[in-house]
Amino acid sequence: ELDIDEPRLIKALELPANAELDLPRTLDFVTARTEFYTHPTALPSVQRGSIKLDLHRRDFTINTLALRLDGNHYGELLDPWGGGRDLHEGLIRVLHSLSFVDDPTRMLRAVRLEQRLGFQIEARTLDLLREALPLLDQVSGERIRTELELIFEETGRVRIMDRLKQLGLLAAIHPAFIWDDWLAARFESAALLDAVPEGIEPPQETPFLFYAMWCFRLSEAEIRSIASRLHFGASDRSHLLESSRVGQYLLDLEGDTAPSRIVARLDESNGRSLFAAWLALADCARCRKWIESYLREWRKTWPETTGETLREMGLPPGPHYKEILWSLRAEWLDGEIRSASEEKARLQSLIEENRNNG
């Protein structure tokens, strides 16, 4: 728990006397450390070190500024690596020439900070980034996903993705990672979810929606390859494939397709995949309407007849139970049955057909 002398800190920082500091009430403290890497892309080994060496562990010079909190030095700014200058000039600069070699994920962070702050990656840093691009292939899928999902959380995610494409970082992660205006529009809708119709519940796992948009137009082989590269679990891999499959299925349908045919296919899907497909199909009004109708109404449409009803009517159990119940449901969906009495009459007819067929 901190007991901060804010007036004294404001004075030490040469801020206006009426300045308000938005400071945390608690902080974590650690000893000064240094680190070294046994080989490129390895996680660092850490040892005790000086404050100067500790600051040298940071990704970029603008991350190396520190304030002293001790005695007469309270509020004194430490800037051993020129972070203040680069902050003033709006530059993203690494601290040494092996920075991206030690940790290639810094390339993604460089772009994220550049676009968030409206800065520029310093020229030599940009050269080092381009030279280090092949090293991204050695970074684990989990670490790449962590960086991508931090980008998804940024309000400027589209600008960041534009810049990642420009610098070749997306292709370095996976050659199938395309980026274009179609994706840019959907990345905005996947984050804002402004146009979600009433009664449609979006999934909570927003990162999945971004990945689903990214994979929507790719082949199954490409989706499987990306899922393997980023180490997706079996569930996420299956849902990414299903989102693309169901989207393509709906795009291929004619506008007058019977609801029962659509329901038979969408019943095989899950809510995550269907919602991702709904987002991706922004240019297909009929496709979106089908998904909305399914989620709101069609999936809840069932006949009053059940398997127990068939048993009580003397029909022996078997595969025909499923066929009869589906026939009744399909006719409700397609408007061929509109009342309980019509269902009852149709049921009698189906049972007679079933018996006549042995």
Side-chain angles (χ1 to χ4, degrees):
E1 187 75 20
L2 299 180
D3 182 15
I4 297 175
D5 185 348
E6 292 197 7
R8 184 179 173 194
L9 185 56
I10 288 172
K11 183 177 180 181
L13 292 174
E14 299 181 355
L15 297 174
N18 61 349
E20 295 185 5
L21 300 180
D22 183 16
L23 298 174
R25 302 319 305 174
T26 61
L27 288 175
D28 292 330
F29 285 89
V30 295
T31 57
R33 298 173 293 170
T34 186
E35 62 187 26
F36 61 92
Y37 296 79
T38 57
H39 58 84
T41 76
L43 293 175
S45 298
V46 178
Q47 297 177 346
R48 297 187 70 172
S50 67
I51 184 62
K52 183 176 181 180
L53 290 176
D54 188 280
L55 294 175
H56 196 256
R57 297 186 303 115
R58 305 298 183 261
D59 291 336
F60 311 108
T61 57
I62 61 172
N63 304 135
T64 62
L65 300 170
L67 283 175
R68 293 188 63 162
L69 301 177
D70 57 313
N72 294 329
H73 296 285
Y74 188 84
E76 182 180 320
L77 180 67
L78 300 180
D79 183 12
W81 304 108
R85 174 200 61 214
D86 288 340
L87 195 62
H88 178 73
E89 296 179 0
L91 295 175
I92 305 294
R93 186 196 306 270
V94 292
L95 278 83
H96 55 88
S97 61
L98 296 179
S99 183
F100 295 133
V101 175
D102 289 342
D103 184 359
T105 60
R106 284 174 173 153
M107 291 185 271
L108 299 173
R109 292 198 287 279
V111 174
R112 177 158 55 89
L113 279 177
E114 177 194 50
Q115 296 304 308
R116 179 203 291 173
L117 301 173
F119 284 15
Q120 287 187 324
I121 298 176
E122 178 265 337
R124 176 56 180 155
T125 299
L126 200 55
D127 290 339
L128 294 171
L129 183 151
R130 292 189 174 109
E131 292 169 8
L133 282 176
L135 293 175
L136 272 176
D137 194 49
Q138 302 176 32
V139 180
S140 72
E142 291 84 356
R143 292 183 66 200
I144 294 291
R145 283 210 323 271
T146 296
E147 295 300 328
L148 289 175
E149 288 164 21
L150 288 172
I151 289 170
F152 297 162
E153 294 175 4
E154 296 277 340
T155 57
R157 70 189 66 81
V158 169
R159 294 195 310 274
I160 297 172
M161 299 299 289
D162 286 341
R163 184 69 159 144
L164 291 175
K165 175 188 176 181
Q166 178 192 15
L167 295 176
L169 281 158
L170 295 183
I173 294 172
H174 195 284
F177 267 153
I178 58 174
W179 181 256
D180 55 20
D181 291 342
W182 187 94
L183 271 170
R186 279 146 187 83
F187 262 48
E188 291 292 3
S189 64
L192 300 175
L193 302 179
D194 286 341
V196 179
E198 186 178 352
I200 307 298
E201 195 67 34
Q204 297 300 311
E205 312 92 331
T206 305
F208 168 79
L209 298 177
F210 289 108
Y211 291 123
M213 298 303 101
W214 221 345
C215 293
F216 187 78
R217 296 173 295 166
L218 303 181
S219 68
E220 290 206 4
E222 289 172 324
I223 295 172
R224 292 182 187 278
S225 180
I226 286 171
S228 176
R229 170 67 185 95
L230 297 183
H231 293 187
F232 283 117
S235 175
D236 283 343
R237 183 187 312 241
S238 172
H239 293 172
L240 287 173
L241 286 165
E242 176 60 12
S243 174
S244 178
R245 287 170 182 161
V246 76
Q248 191 56 57
Y249 170 81
L250 293 175
L251 285 169
D252 291 341
L253 291 180
E254 298 295 333
D256 58 353
T257 302
S260 60
R261 181 182 172 191
I262 298 168
V263 169
R265 175 62 183 84
L266 299 193
D267 274 350
E268 301 172 5
S269 299
N270 57 81
R272 293 173 87 207
S273 300
L274 287 177
F275 189 82
W278 180 87
L279 278 174
L281 292 167
D283 297 331
C284 180
R286 72 177 188 280
C287 298
R288 278 196 159 186
K289 185 176 179 181
W290 286 330
I291 294 175
E292 291 165 18
S293 296
Y294 175 81
L295 292 175
R296 283 200 192 113
E297 177 186 356
W298 291 346
R299 64 176 174 174
K300 303 171 187 175
T301 300
W302 292 89
E304 294 182 5
T305 304
T306 65
E308 182 63 20
T309 308
L310 300 179
R311 189 186 67 78
E312 291 174 353
M313 295 178 71
L315 197 67
H320 44 271
Y321 271 36
K322 182 177 180 180
E323 295 167 7
I324 291 173
L325 294 175
W326 169 250
S327 293
L328 292 174
R329 186 185 181 203
E331 292 182 31
W332 271 107
L333 288 164
D334 296 342
E336 296 170 12
I337 295 176
R338 293 183 173 84
S339 67
S341 60
E342 288 183 4
E343 179 184 320
K344 187 175 180 180
R346 180 60 178 138
L347 174 59
Q348 291 291 345
S349 174
L350 288 169
I351 289 177
E352 287 302 317
E353 291 173 14
N354 187 276
R355 284 175 173 157
N356 290 338
N357 291 330

